[in-house]
Amino acid sequence: MEKEHVKCLIIGSGPAGYTAAIYTSRANIAPVLYEGLQTGGQLTTTTEVENFPGYPQGVTGPVLMDDLRQQALRFGADIRPGLITQADLSQAPYSFTIDENKKITADTVIIATGATAKYLGLEDEKKYAGMGVSACATCDGFFYRKKVVAVVGGGDTACEEAVYLAGLARQVYLVVRKPYLRASKIMQERVLNHPKITVLFEHNAIGLFGDNGVEGMHVVKRKGEPDEERYDVAIDGFFLAIGHQPNSAIFQPWVKTDETGYILTEGSSPRTGVPGVFAAGDVADPHYRQAITAAGSGCKAAIEAERYLSEQGML
């Protein structure tokens, strides 16, 4: 099996990974970045991005990510296709297996593997991806001003997104599987008392329809009960707010995570508690999950990696 050693290994190719590559490259650390399953990360599935600084006219997700990638390449980052399939952070230098056929060791590691939005598993979610289906109200809510949208979920995140969207949309339906909300009391009150939000308790969204994008959803009320009822609701946008799954599983034997799997870092730093190992972007961010905050954390992780290497006399 082929073997290689690097000063800095960056795992993941979203805004956090590419930004870390830009900073570490400019610091002459010669980083190696493996892009993972989805080159460019989640943003490559987003059509229009209007809230990333520096693009006054907006930009598509794939173009934004390619711009970041090209910037990292310009400074000499070694960006490679490939997936980390095994990791060993028990001792430095840290060891990894790439695609089951290559070993690489690294003095410092920046974990930027992101988090994957949870979906209901409907075929229509794939069919209308980027055409009315979204897992980020903050990212895409702007496009639904004065329109009708649905949010799926019953926890704090779903309620927060419903309230946020209600500030933009004409009408918001909150589709809740249970006969109650799981959100905190204050969030429940905000949702239940909001004039633009209608909560559909004991409802399941079972499909979407529309010719050139989402025009409505098929729902079932009290599924499986004698009084089960099926009908359609006209909507323009369908937002999933049932959680994200951080891509942290292979690192969990060594780094601390919360109950969901988000990597816990020390204070506001990207330090994981394992010397020389840092986490950046959505894999360590259960709260904001924005491209700009991910990029900022990638910057922080790169600076920390440079400082660590300097302190260890490796630069």
Side-chain angles (χ1 to χ4, degrees):
M1 187 178 286
E2 184 185 352
K3 294 184 179 180
E4 181 183 9
H5 178 77
V6 298
K7 287 182 182 178
C8 180
L9 176 66
I10 302 170
I11 307 171
S13 58
Y18 285 149
T19 302
I22 291 167
Y23 273 77
T24 48
S25 296
R26 293 184 75 250
N28 293 322
I29 296 174
V32 168
L33 182 151
Y34 277 95
E35 295 183 300
L37 282 174
Q38 191 172 28
T39 299
Q42 289 185 78
L43 267 189
T44 57
T45 64
T46 301
T47 48
E48 203 68 23
V49 179
E50 293 190 331
N51 55 4
F52 197 91
Y55 292 90
Q57 304 305 317
V59 62
T60 66
V63 168
L64 172 59
M65 295 318 303
D66 190 57
D67 284 350
L68 288 174
R69 187 177 190 274
Q70 294 303 320
Q71 192 171 356
L73 289 169
R74 175 190 164 204
F75 293 115
D78 187 345
I79 298 176
R80 307 172 180 177
L83 181 68
I84 305 293
T85 51
Q86 293 179 43
D88 184 353
L89 305 180
S90 60
Q91 61 180 10
Y94 305 110
S95 178
F96 303 87
T97 303
I98 317 297
D99 293 327
E100 303 292 355
N101 60 21
K102 178 178 179 176
K103 287 281 188 184
I104 190 167
T105 55
D107 298 315
T108 58
V109 181
I110 296 174
I111 301 170
T113 45
T116 304
K118 294 179 182 177
Y119 287 82
L120 296 174
L122 306 175
E123 280 300 315
D124 289 337
E125 289 171 323
K126 298 174 185 175
K127 178 180 177 181
Y128 294 105
M131 299 171 61
V133 172
S134 171
C136 181
T138 312
C139 310
D140 300 325
F142 181 80
F143 302 110
Y144 297 92
R145 288 173 300 170
K146 299 182 180 179
K147 294 186 178 182
V148 179
V149 299
V151 177
V152 178
D156 275 319
T157 298
C159 288
E160 287 169 8
E161 300 218 339
V163 171
Y164 173 80
L165 288 166
L168 299 166
R170 184 173 81 248
Q171 169 74 50
V172 178
Y173 291 104
L174 184 60
V175 184
V176 184
R177 189 165 47 90
K178 303 282 188 181
Y180 56 85
L181 292 170
R182 294 181 290 104
S184 58
K185 188 171 177 60
I186 188 161
M187 286 309 304
Q188 291 188 42
E189 291 173 354
R190 287 177 186 169
V191 164
L192 296 172
N193 295 326
H194 201 294
K196 288 188 179 179
I197 300 175
T198 300
V199 182
L200 303 178
F201 286 113
E202 296 186 272
H203 278 68
N204 285 272
I206 57 172
L208 302 168
F209 61 90
D211 293 329
N212 299 306
V214 172
E215 295 177 6
M217 62 177 173
H218 305 298
V219 297
V220 55
K221 181 180 180 182
R222 292 179 56 78
K223 186 176 182 181
E225 299 298 323
D227 57 347
E228 174 183 297
E229 183 182 353
R230 294 173 181 253
Y231 61 100
D232 294 342
V233 179
I235 58 170
D236 303 294
F238 186 77
F239 289 83
L240 282 303
I242 54 177
H244 285 71
Q245 184 59 51
N247 302 315
S248 63
I250 66 170
F251 311 109
Q252 286 185 20
W254 300 279
V255 300
K256 293 179 181 177
T257 65
D258 68 9
E259 64 277 5
T260 305
Y262 287 100
I263 295 176
L264 299 174
T265 57
E266 298 176 354
S268 61
S269 82
R271 295 186 295 272
T272 64
V274 180
V277 177
F278 310 97
D282 286 10
V283 74
D285 178 13
H287 303 296
Y288 303 107
R289 297 194 296 271
Q290 298 297 299
I292 190 64
T293 52
S297 68
C299 161
K300 289 172 22 175
I303 291 172
E304 289 284 352
E306 180 189 3
R307 288 175 179 169
Y308 176 84
L309 290 168
S310 179
E311 289 167 1
Q312 299 297 315
M314 297 178 182
L315 287 182

